[in-house]
């Protein structure tokens, strides 16, 4: 706190001068003489030597020996002799560390005021000791217990509070510091109440053995230092030496407090190593630990000035940026860190390359408190892992855990239970006008919000664990509709989108086969549309499920080709018979030569692999013509028909039962925006 340290020093100097003047003016001695005085002086010297020998600035973290000696002399001889001992300890230790003399001055001043507060506490109990009239144990009775406890408590609390005000960061977490200090200083009070009265007793009856009290005082300091070291160890990761989650949250609260006052931004990056589990499974956990040590060392070296790193557990790390200019700058730092962690690592002669994913959350845009910032960074990190994008900034629209989206999730669950979610069907047709199939698209009209965009509620289902329930509902509804159409003589196949989580679910292939049998629908009448993301996590389980589905006779289609991490490896591993070109390429086919070339290469590649090609989002005649020239097999979009409810889809199919008319001759539906396939 600005100005507190000079004020403490000034008030302490005035108090000390007034106290010394009062003692001298009253004809009293400043310090006892004789055996008691020399014994206390020798004990003070031993304490000073011990504190100087501690080294590594341990004394500045607070000790018990000086406090016990100061309190004992306060009880026996009063305020001025106690202050002189305190000043002797602080001054001599400060002189041994010349570069810390300013801190020594503030420590001494705080101790003067704290001793004064303890003396006033004793004065409230009518206790006033001096060199000539000491407060000896012979004067103690049962009422002395609250006097001793009160004096020790006030002395410690006042001294530590003054030091905290003088030296703590402006952004320090007051609640966290107070909780830690009360626990630690409570133990010190107990120690002082056990040692200080004994020093008084020995000082009165056997002053010559007072120097022997250096042994328990040194033991007290050692015990306090060990307790402090263990408390600090609790804030450190034992493997890497980086701070842990508890430290991160304390430091983040402090940084947010400072950023709030300065009206700046603070960013939190959450970093997770991709496929680290495979290192442990293949090379063993000791090798994984050595790899984490290298990651921690690299993280320390690449951080910008002022940034602080922590390990949260496993292969998850965090970086706190106390001050950033913008979200873009925080994202830039995250990309730099992820790039550095992705450089080759040497592990026992093996060269390993581990990719990392990072999520970015920024105060105040994304959260107002440290816990919220960490949670939102975690959401963004999992988006980066899912999309394989490396770095993602938190977006509320992709977070299924906001209060609004949690409410929407509950409403979606109720809608599924009540059967209020509908399926619409959009045709896929060949260039000869033949209907090749329909795609089932899920639609939901909320009773209060109206029609909810599919992208919104499907994202909620995917992040909440409701996706299997939604897929089950869509499959059941679609197969029931296919059965009704087949009973009416309409044998058109239907495609249903399934998510990577569905494909990785144990027993998914058997459940699909059971539903087909229950509805009496042949497997070839069902097509499942998947994306390449099914192979990004647990690829073997996904491949086994897909192979089982194909073994049951279910046809597979690769959806959204070109928008993810499309590769020949995926095309070779996925047992698909159809490839769908994403609408983002089809929409600009007629005006963008690069998109046209991408579509042409995709069609040629698919045909060379024996795959059928379907173009999504066809909305005008020119695009139709270009796709036909490129030898695309089928199209889907508003030019042919919008997604229709079951009754309209049934009428549409019957009108083309003898062979659909040439789609180009059909009037295009009004362009109300692209119809986004959802599920």
């Amino acid at each position: 706190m600005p100005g507190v340290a000079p004020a403490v020093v000034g008030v302490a100097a005035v108090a000390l001068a007034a106290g010394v003047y009062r003692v001298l003016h009253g004809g009293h001695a400043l310090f006892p003489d004789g055996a008691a005085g020399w014994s206390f002086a020798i004990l003070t010297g031993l304490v000073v030597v011990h504190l100087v020998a501690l080294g590594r600035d341990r004394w500045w973290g607070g000790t018990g020996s000086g406090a016990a000696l100061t309190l004992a002399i306060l009880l026996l001889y009063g305020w001025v002799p106690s202050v002189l001992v305190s000043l002797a300890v602080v001054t001599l230790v400060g002189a041994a560390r010349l570069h810390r003399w300013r801190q020594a001055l503030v420590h001494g001043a705080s101790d003067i005021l704290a001793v004064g507060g303890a003396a006033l506490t004793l004065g409230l109990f009518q206790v006033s000791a001096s060199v000539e009239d000491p407060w000896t144990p012979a004067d103690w009775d049962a009422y002395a217990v609250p006097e001793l406890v009160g004096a020790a408590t006030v002395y410690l609390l006042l001294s530590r509070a003054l030091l905290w005000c003088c030296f703590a960061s402006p952004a320090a977490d007051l609640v966290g510091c107070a909780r830690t200090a009360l626990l630690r200083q409570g133990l010190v009070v107990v120690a002082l109440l056990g040692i200080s009265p004994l020093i008084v007793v020995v000082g009165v009856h056997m002053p010559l053995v007072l120097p022997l009290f250096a042994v328990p005082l040194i033991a007290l300091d050692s015990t306090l230092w060990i307790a402090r070291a263990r408390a600090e160890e609790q804030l450190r990761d034992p493997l890497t030496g980086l701070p842990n989650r508890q430290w991160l949250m304390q430091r983040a609260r402090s940084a947010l407090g400072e950023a709030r006052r300065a009206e700046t931004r603070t960013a939190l990056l959450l970093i997770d190593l991709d496929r680290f589990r495979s290192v442990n499974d293949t090379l063993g956990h000791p090798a994984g630990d050595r790899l984490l040590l290298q990651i921690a060392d690299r993280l320390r070296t690449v951080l910008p000035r002022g940034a602080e790193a922590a390990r949260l557990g496993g292969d998850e790390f965090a970086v706190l940026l106390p001050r950033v200019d913008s979200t873009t700058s925080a994202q830039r730092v995250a990309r730099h860190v992820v790039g550095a962690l992705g450089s080759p690592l040497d592990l026992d002669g093996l060269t390993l390359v581990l990719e990392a994913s990072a999520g970015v959350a920024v105060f105040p845009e994304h959260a107002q408190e440290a816990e919220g910032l960490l949670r939102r960074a975690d959401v963004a990190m999992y988006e980066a892992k899912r999309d394989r994008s490396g770095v993602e900034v938190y977006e509320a629209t992709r977070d299924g855990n906001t209060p609004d989206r949690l409410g929407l999730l509950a409403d979606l669950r109720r809608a599924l239970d009540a059967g209020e979610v509908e399926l619409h069907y959009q045709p896929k047709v060949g260039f000869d006008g033949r209907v090749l199939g329909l795609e089932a698209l899920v639609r939901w009209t909320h009773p209060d919000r109206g029609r909810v965009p599919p992208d919104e509620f499907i994202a909620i289902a995917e992040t909440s664990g409701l996706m299997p329930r939604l897929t089950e509902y869509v499959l059941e509804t679609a197969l029931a509709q296919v059965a009704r159409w087949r009973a009416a003589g309409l044998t058109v196949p239907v495609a249903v989108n399934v998510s990577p989580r569905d494909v990785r679910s144990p027993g998914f292939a058997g459940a699909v086969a059971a539903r087909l049998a229950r509805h009496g629908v042949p497997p070839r009448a069902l097509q499942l549309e998947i994306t390449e993301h099914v192979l990004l996590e647990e690829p073997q389980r996904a491949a086994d499920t897909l192979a089982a589905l194909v073994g049951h006779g279910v046809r597979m289609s690769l959806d959204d080709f070109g928008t993810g991490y499309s590769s020949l490896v995926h095309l070779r591993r996925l047992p698909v018979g159809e490839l769908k070109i994403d609408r983002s390429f089809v929409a600009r086919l007629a005006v963008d030569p690069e998109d046209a070339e991408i579509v042409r290469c995709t069609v040629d590649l698919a045909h060379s692999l024996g795959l059928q090609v379907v173009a999504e989002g066809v909305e005008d005649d020119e695009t139709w013509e270009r796709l036909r020239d490129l030898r695309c097999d089928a199209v889907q979009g508003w030019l042919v028909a919008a997604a229709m409810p079951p009754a309209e889809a049934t009428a549409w199919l019957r009108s083309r039962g003898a062979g659909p008319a040439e789609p180009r001759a059909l009037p295009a539906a009004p362009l109300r925006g692209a119809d986004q396939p959802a599920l």
Side-chain angles (χ1 to χ4, degrees), residues 312-460:
L312 305 187
D315 59 345
E316 197 170 62
F317 297 83
V319 174
L320 179 67
L321 304 175
R323 287 200 175 190
V324 291
D325 297 330
S326 62
T327 301
T328 302
S329 61
Q331 188 178 18
R332 189 182 305 115
V333 172
R335 293 195 181 281
H336 174 67
V337 172
V338 167
L341 297 181
S343 300
L345 293 164
D346 180 75
L347 182 66
D348 302 334
L350 295 176
T351 300
L352 301 178
V353 177
L354 287 180
E355 297 178 353
S357 299
V360 181
V362 179
F363 166 85
E365 285 88 343
H366 302 142
Q368 297 293 319
E369 70 287 337
E371 289 76 8
L373 206 63
L374 180 62
R375 192 189 67 78
R376 283 163 172 77
D378 187 60
V379 171
M381 184 269 290
Y382 276 103
E383 291 293 337
K385 288 181 72 70
R386 189 182 69 177
D387 296 343
R388 309 292 297 174
S389 57
V391 175
E392 288 289 340
V393 177
Y394 173 79
E395 294 181 13
T397 57
R398 306 178 76 177
D399 186 357
N401 295 322
T402 61
D404 180 67
R405 291 168 71 82
L406 287 176
L408 197 62
L409 172 63
D411 292 341
L412 177 59
R413 195 183 303 273
R414 285 192 293 268
L416 290 174
D417 293 338
E420 297 173 356
V421 177
E422 299 179 345
L423 289 189
H424 289 195
Y425 300 87
Q426 187 172 39
K428 294 186 288 187
V429 301
F431 288 92
D432 59 359
R434 186 165 50 96
V435 179
L436 302 179
L438 297 171
E439 180 180 1
L441 302 173
V442 63
R443 297 292 183 262
W444 177 33
T445 301
H446 191 277
D448 299 322
R449 306 182 187 213
R451 182 170 175 177
V452 182
D455 287 346
E456 182 177 348
F457 68 81
I458 287 179
I460 294 175

Side-chain angles (χ1 to χ4, degrees), residues 145-300:
V145 174
E147 297 165 2
L148 295 174
V149 173
T153 302
V154 170
Y155 169 65
L156 281 177
L157 291 182
L158 188 55
S159 63
R160 298 307 183 253
L162 289 173
L163 291 176
W164 188 85
C165 293
C166 293
F167 294 122
S169 165
D173 178 20
L174 178 58
V175 176
C177 291
R179 188 185 302 114
T180 304
L182 287 176
L183 177 62
R184 188 179 303 167
Q185 300 311 318
L187 297 176
V188 177
V189 168
V190 174
L192 294 185
L193 292 175
I195 294 179
S196 296
L198 293 178
I199 296 177
V200 173
V201 172
V202 173
V204 171
H205 298 288
M206 292 181 293
L208 292 179
V209 301
L210 271 175
L212 296 180
F213 262 95
V215 176
L217 291 179
I218 291 173
L220 175 61
D221 280 348
S222 299
T223 302
L224 292 176
W225 185 84
I226 291 173
R228 182 185 174 203
R230 288 180 177 175
E232 291 179 350
E233 287 177 0
Q234 293 178 356
L235 300 177
R236 292 277 170 182
D237 172 54
L239 175 63
T240 63
L242 290 173
N244 60 14
R245 180 186 294 268
Q246 182 181 355
W247 176 93
L248 176 70
M249 299 314 297
Q250 293 179 4
R251 181 66 187 93
R253 294 187 193 102
S254 299
L256 292 184
E258 188 173 355
R260 192 174 286 110
R261 284 187 290 271
E263 297 184 352
T264 59
R265 290 180 173 86
T266 294
L268 187 63
L269 319 179
L270 200 61
I271 304 168
D272 187 83
L273 303 179
D274 298 337
R275 298 184 298 278
F276 178 77
R277 184 188 304 175
S278 61
V279 175
N280 281 335
D281 294 343
T282 305
L283 303 178
H285 288 278
D289 289 345
R290 292 194 296 274
L291 190 61
L292 288 175
L293 285 172
Q294 293 191 44
I295 291 294
D297 290 339
R298 182 169 291 182
L299 194 58
R300 291 186 184 98

Side-chain angles (χ1 to χ4, degrees), residues 423 425 476-486 494 519 646-647 650:
L423 289 189
Y425 300 87
E476 190 70 20
T477 305
L479 290 177
Q481 183 60 55
V482 171
R484 286 192 291 270
W485 279 335
R486 294 183 66 82
V494 171
H519 289 284
T650 301

Side-chain angles (χ1 to χ4, degrees), residues 431 589 599-600 603-604 607 621-633 635 664:
F431 288 92
L589 173 66
V599 172
R600 185 191 66 78
V603 172
D604 292 343
H607 286 167
D621 287 336
E622 186 175 1
T623 302
W624 170 283
E625 297 287 352
R626 295 293 298 274
L627 288 169
R628 184 173 61 178
D629 294 342
L630 293 174
R631 297 184 300 112
C632 184
D633 298 299
V635 296
R664 288 180 299 163

Side-chain angles (χ1 to χ4, degrees), residues 12 54 69 87 89 141 214 221 249 282 356 430 433 448 560 617 624:
L54 275 178
L69 184 56
L87 283 179
V89 173
D141 53 21
D221 280 348
M249 299 314 297
T282 305
D448 299 322
D560 298 335
W624 170 283

Side-chain angles (χ1 to χ4, degrees), residues 58-122:
R58 296 180 189 176
W59 182 76
W60 301 103
T63 60
S65 59
L69 184 56
T70 299
L71 182 60
I73 297 178
L74 171 66
L75 297 175
L76 187 58
Y77 297 121
W79 181 67
V80 173
S82 176
V83 165
L84 293 178
V85 170
S86 174
L87 283 179
V89 173
V90 174
T91 303
L92 292 175
V93 174
R97 296 180 174 88
L98 295 178
H99 64 291
R100 308 300 290 271
W101 68 269
R102 285 190 176 87
Q103 283 185 313
L105 185 63
V106 177
H107 270 263
S110 300
D111 224 41
I112 290 173
L113 298 181
V115 173
L120 291 175
T121 302
L122 291 174

